[in-house]
């Protein structure tokens, strides 16, 4: 297993780089491209098979071991953001301004997965989605309904149109 983290290079420029180490030995490991060249990232998530990040808080890129290049999979529209990225199987999830989103890497589909004030968490292949039921009220948003699913057992999202 490997541990991936960001190290700040220049606070004024918000420049940083990723570093990686072996979890068992603590030995620092060389990062493959394109990860070694990243200098601006707002949120990063990683699994054994995938690294996902945003460099500008408005777009989402992914990379898998063995790929020569990263792939841009989503660009936010209308002032929305991409932040607090998390991975569950082939789903990459993130927080937008008002809702939570998911991109299905199997189908290239993207969808909102909560209504306003909802949240989501991942752990391995598990995806927990929590959202208020009843009237929406920022001061008192409860009660909440909570669903936990194995992301690998979900059918692919419909592909996005062009």
């Amino acid at each position: 297993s490997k541990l991936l983290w960001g190290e700040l290079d220049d606070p004024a420029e918000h420049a940083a780089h990723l570093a990686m180490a072996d979890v068992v030995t603590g030995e620092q490991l060389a990062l493959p491209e394109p990860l070694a060249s990243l200098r601006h990232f707002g949120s990063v998530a990683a699994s054994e098979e995938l690294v996902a990040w945003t460099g500008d808080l408005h777009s989402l890129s992914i990379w898998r071991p063995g790929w020569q290049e990263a792939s841009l999979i989503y660009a936010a529209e209308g002032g929305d953001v991409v932040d607090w990225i998390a991975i569950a199987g082939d789903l990459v999830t993130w927080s937008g301004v008002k809702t939570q989103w998911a991109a299905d890497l199997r189908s290239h589909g993207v969808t909102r997965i909560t209504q306003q004030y909802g949240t989501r968490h991942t752990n391995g292949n598990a995806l927990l989605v929590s959202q208020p039921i009843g009237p929406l009220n920022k001061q008192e948003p409860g009660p909440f309904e909570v669903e936990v699913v194995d992301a690998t057992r979900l059918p692919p999202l419909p592909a996005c149109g062009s």
Side-chain angles (χ1 to χ4, degrees):
S1 290
K2 298 173 182 91
L3 178 64
L4 184 69
W5 71 94
E7 293 185 347
L8 190 59
D9 296 324
D10 183 350
E13 295 292 320
H14 302 286
H17 68 275
L18 292 174
M20 184 170 61
D22 184 283
V23 172
V24 175
T25 66
E27 176 186 355
Q28 190 128 3
L29 303 171
L31 279 167
E33 288 296 339
L35 303 180
S37 297
L38 280 177
R39 291 296 175 261
H40 296 277
F41 46 89
S43 178
V44 177
S47 69
E48 290 288 329
E49 301 152 357
L50 180 69
V51 179
W53 68 91
T54 178
D56 58 7
L57 296 177
H58 298 287
S59 61
L60 179 62
S61 296
I62 61 168
W63 175 83
R64 291 184 188 271
W67 286 9
Q68 297 300 311
E69 297 179 354
S71 178
L72 175 67
I73 63 166
Y74 179 78
E77 297 177 357
D80 207 356
V81 299
V82 174
D83 204 3
W84 302 105
I85 299 168
I87 299 169
D90 282 322
L91 292 180
V92 179
T93 67
W94 66 93
S95 295
V97 171
K98 293 184 177 180
T99 188
Q100 307 297 309
W101 293 84
D104 189 329
L105 303 181
R106 300 167 297 176
S107 65
H108 307 286
V110 175
T111 191
R112 282 186 262 198
I113 57 173
T114 68
Q115 63 181 347
Q116 189 172 8
Y117 307 126
T119 189
R120 48 89 194 128
H121 302 279
T122 64
N123 186 357
N125 291 327
L127 171 63
L128 178 145
V129 176
S130 172
Q131 58 187 347
I133 52 177
L136 293 178
N137 179 339
K138 190 171 185 175
Q139 286 73 34
E140 298 178 31
F144 282 77
E145 71 177 352
V146 177
E147 299 286 336
V148 179
V149 296
D150 178 345
T152 63
R153 298 185 65 169
L154 293 172
L157 288 171
C160 292
S162 53

